[in-house]
Amino acid sequence: MTRIAAALTLTLLITACICSPAMVWGASSDPAGGPHSRAQDILLKMIQAQENLTSFEGTAEAKVYIGGRNVLTTSVGLIIERPNHVAVKWFGMTIRPRHGLIFVDPQIFVSNDYTLSVLSAPAESSRDASSRSERWVISAVSSGSSRPQLSWVLYVEPDTWLIRRAQVTMGATDRTTGTAGVGAALGAGVGVATGTASAGGETAIIEADYRQAGYRRWEPVRLSAQGRMVLEEFLPNFLVNIVAGRGSRSTSDAVSGSAPFVLLEFGASRPGAPMRGQSR
């Protein structure tokens, strides 16, 4: 009887350990499968989706709008050399965007300077992968030691693993507000920041459409970006002041109908150029 009782006690203890929340596979004590790990998996798929786009060179019609009014139309050359080397050529000048706001390369997030997490996953019943609310939504926040500090929200298409929309805030953020209100904003189909920008923060929104140009190679067809900091990436400083004016930055930094807007359209009408769903 003593041996039977001991065996029964041992069985009960093993059962209790297996059923304990702390021992359940996938619990919070296990880093595998957490938001950060899942975000890293998605980042890997994003990189693989473009692994054969090692370089790209194209000419685009560029339009700059201020307050909804077209203030500049010209032809520009865009040169992309991955990872994360972009140059814009026009009027005999070469501009090198500093923060990746013209072409958002997922390679820039392969760094210990960035913390990634999943804010939202697409619904399994989604029939429209191009809808913003039916994409993976990833937060990428640079460390406090990075200068400038950047806080990104990436909208990733689940069937192609392309970044179709990105919102970035430059400057200090209040991380305590992290994902507050994310659900409501996503439901409304609008971009959300991962933090609250400080008084000196600036925000930009970038959207992109692509054409498939080979296996794991997607070339940009249409790039649009909104926010004054986009102009500072795209134009020489003296032209930023001429185009956007020298007024108070606080009125032009906000992403609104009056914010500067840049549109680049490549040869989308080229024969045989398949198009993916347009950004919404």
Side-chain angles (χ1 to χ4, degrees):
M1 291 295 293
T2 302
R3 290 182 177 179
I4 295 175
L8 180 60
T9 301
L10 181 60
T11 301
L12 291 173
L13 285 173
I14 293 174
T15 302
C17 290
I18 292 175
C19 296
S20 171
M23 297 296 292
V24 174
W25 291 108
S28 59
S29 59
D30 181 5
H36 178 72
S37 175
R38 186 162 59 160
Q40 291 292 336
D41 291 341
I42 294 170
L43 176 60
L44 176 60
K45 292 179 179 179
M46 291 158 58
I47 293 171
Q48 290 175 337
Q50 285 286 55
E51 66 180 5
N52 288 327
L53 183 69
T54 55
S55 63
F56 169 81
E57 185 170 353
T59 301
E61 181 184 53
K63 295 181 179 181
V64 178
Y65 296 85
I66 304 292
R69 183 170 60 91
N70 182 201
V71 297
L72 178 65
T73 298
T74 186
S75 177
V76 303
L78 181 68
I79 300 174
I80 298 171
E81 294 180 357
R82 302 183 67 229
N84 198 35
H85 290 287
V86 178
V88 178
K89 291 190 173 184
W90 64 295
F91 291 160
M93 297 178 290
T94 299
I95 310 297
R96 300 188 183 278
R98 293 166 294 174
H99 308 305
L101 302 188
I102 299 299
F103 176 81
V104 183
D105 187 345
Q107 287 278 3
I108 66 177
F109 305 110
V110 183
S111 168
N112 291 330
D113 291 337
Y114 275 98
T115 299
L116 276 68
S117 61
V118 176
L119 299 183
S120 177
E124 293 182 0
S125 61
S126 171
R127 296 183 179 179
D128 187 358
S130 67
S131 173
R132 277 188 226 141
S133 61
E134 301 301 344
R135 298 172 183 169
W136 287 99
V137 183
I138 309 297
S139 164
V141 182
S142 64
S143 65
S145 60
S146 300
R147 291 293 180 270
Q149 187 176 352
L150 300 175
S151 178
W152 293 82
V153 176
L154 309 174
Y155 293 78
V156 182
E157 198 170 60
D159 59 340
T160 62
W161 302 105
L162 297 173
I163 300 172
R164 298 296 305 281
R165 175 183 168 94
Q167 177 170 311
V168 57
T169 298
M170 181 171 65
T173 58
D174 177 7
R175 298 189 185 208
T176 61
T177 61
T179 59
V182 167
L186 292 176
V190 299
V192 293
T194 54
T196 301
S198 67
E202 299 179 50
T203 299
I205 292 177
I206 305 99
E207 294 191 271
D209 297 320
Y210 298 89
R211 62 180 288 270
Q212 189 165 14
Y215 177 68
R216 292 186 174 180
R217 179 184 175 92
W218 296 84
E219 297 178 352
V221 168
R222 182 180 185 273
L223 300 173
S224 64
Q226 188 173 17
R228 180 180 173 113
M229 61 190 293
V230 173
L231 288 186
E232 294 171 347
E233 293 271 284
F234 178 72
L235 301 175
N237 289 335
F238 76 93
L239 274 182
V240 172
N241 292 326
I242 294 174
V243 172
R246 298 177 179 272
S248 171
R249 294 179 61 90
S250 62
T251 61
S252 56
D253 289 342
V255 178
S256 64
S258 61
F261 179 83
V262 176
L263 175 63
L264 302 181
E265 290 188 297
F266 298 86
S269 60
R270 286 176 295 177
M275 294 286 292
R276 301 297 298 199
Q278 301 293 303
S279 295
R280 296 185 177 183

